[in-house]
Amino acid sequence: ENQANFLSTIRSNVDRMATLVSDLTDVSRIEAGRIRLDFTTVPVSEVVDEVVRSIRNQITEKEQQLDVNIPPDLPAMWGDRVRLIQIITNLVSNAYKYTPAQGQIIVKAELTNQTSTQGSAQVIHLTVSDNGYGITPDHQKNIFQKFYRSDDPKVRDTPGTGLGLNISKQLIELQGGQIWFESVYRSGSSFHITVPIAEIQPSK
């Protein structure tokens, strides 16, 4: 039993170090302009299904409720499939980690318009919401900074590198999208991303 406990601790630490190394590598590549994105047509439901499958067991163990609302007629996204999975996984994983047992997580998507300096265009708007710990107003302005972690004891008790949201922000912006959030302390948070749709992209 002692050996099993030691091995479990070692594995947890190795996983944490692997995540940190991967995150640091991404940050380095992004900042050096050396990150390569493979743009392709990405079905929304397929990506969300893959993310949900990867984290379903953890959500079940925590007795949380996960609701997914992806309309079947949504057009596909135009982006890097691997990186979009990475971004959405980070958002769902954060919702899981920072929501107490028996809490609720909602993932939904819709087609909407996004206005930018280039004009208005249709995009996929994906939202990950929870009824978890929430973020205080004082901390909200720092949430996308590198290595930032709240001093909220409920957040500090959960392992993390403080890089996930920073990386997600840079990756989604490199794909022509946006990311933002709303949060009410001790009531929950909603994180939003937009991704261009494949229909309006030029062919390769």
Side-chain angles (χ1 to χ4, degrees):
E1 182 179 351
N2 284 337
Q3 289 177 334
N5 289 334
F6 285 138
L7 288 173
S8 177
T9 301
I10 291 169
R11 179 176 180 176
S12 177
N13 286 331
V14 168
D15 289 345
R16 191 176 299 117
M17 289 300 297
T19 300
L20 179 58
V21 170
S22 176
D23 286 350
L24 288 171
T25 301
D26 279 344
V27 169
S28 176
R29 286 175 177 168
I30 291 170
E31 292 183 345
R34 292 188 292 106
I35 194 159
R36 180 178 178 274
L37 297 177
D38 182 17
F39 284 85
T40 187
T41 298
V42 185
V44 182
S45 59
E46 286 185 15
V47 167
V48 172
D49 286 347
E50 185 167 336
V51 171
V52 169
R53 282 197 305 270
S54 71
I55 199 171
R56 174 69 75 178
N57 288 341
Q58 294 163 282
I59 289 174
T60 300
E61 289 174 1
K62 208 170 177 181
E63 298 182 344
Q64 293 170 334
Q65 178 182 340
L66 174 61
D67 296 323
V68 179
N69 182 7
I70 309 296
D73 58 346
L74 279 183
M77 299 179 288
W78 181 257
D80 184 305
R81 189 177 193 278
V82 172
R83 294 301 185 176
L84 287 172
I85 290 174
Q86 177 181 349
I87 293 164
I88 299 169
T89 297
N90 178 258
L91 298 182
V92 177
S93 177
N94 281 350
Y96 149 77
K97 290 191 294 185
Y98 303 122
T99 298
Q102 302 178 342
Q104 183 179 36
I105 299 168
I106 301 173
V107 181
K108 62 181 180 180
E110 63 179 351
L111 183 65
T112 187
N113 288 316
Q114 174 177 289
T115 303
S116 66
T117 55
Q118 286 77 39
S120 179
Q122 286 191 309
V123 295
I124 298 298
H125 173 202
L126 191 141
T127 307
V128 178
S129 303
D130 63 66
N131 60 351
Y133 305 136
I135 308 164
T136 65
D138 289 344
H139 292 150
Q140 290 184 18
K141 62 182 180 297
N142 301 315
I143 204 71
F144 292 112
Q145 290 183 5
K146 282 188 299 185
F147 300 110
Y148 177 78
R149 298 208 69 207
S150 169
D151 57 9
D152 183 340
K154 291 185 179 294
V155 173
R156 285 290 180 179
D157 287 343
T158 303
T161 65
L163 289 171
L165 287 175
N166 175 267
I167 292 171
S168 294
K169 183 177 189 296
Q170 296 190 73
L171 286 176
I172 202 68
E173 290 176 352
L174 285 171
Q175 296 176 77
Q178 298 176 358
I179 185 170
W180 70 96
F181 71 96
E182 301 106 17
S183 185
V184 177
Y185 188 55
R186 293 295 183 261
S187 294
S189 304
S190 293
F191 279 81
H192 308 261
I193 62 170
T194 59
V195 187
I197 61 174
E199 294 178 352
I200 64 172
Q201 299 300 325
S203 59
K204 286 188 172 182

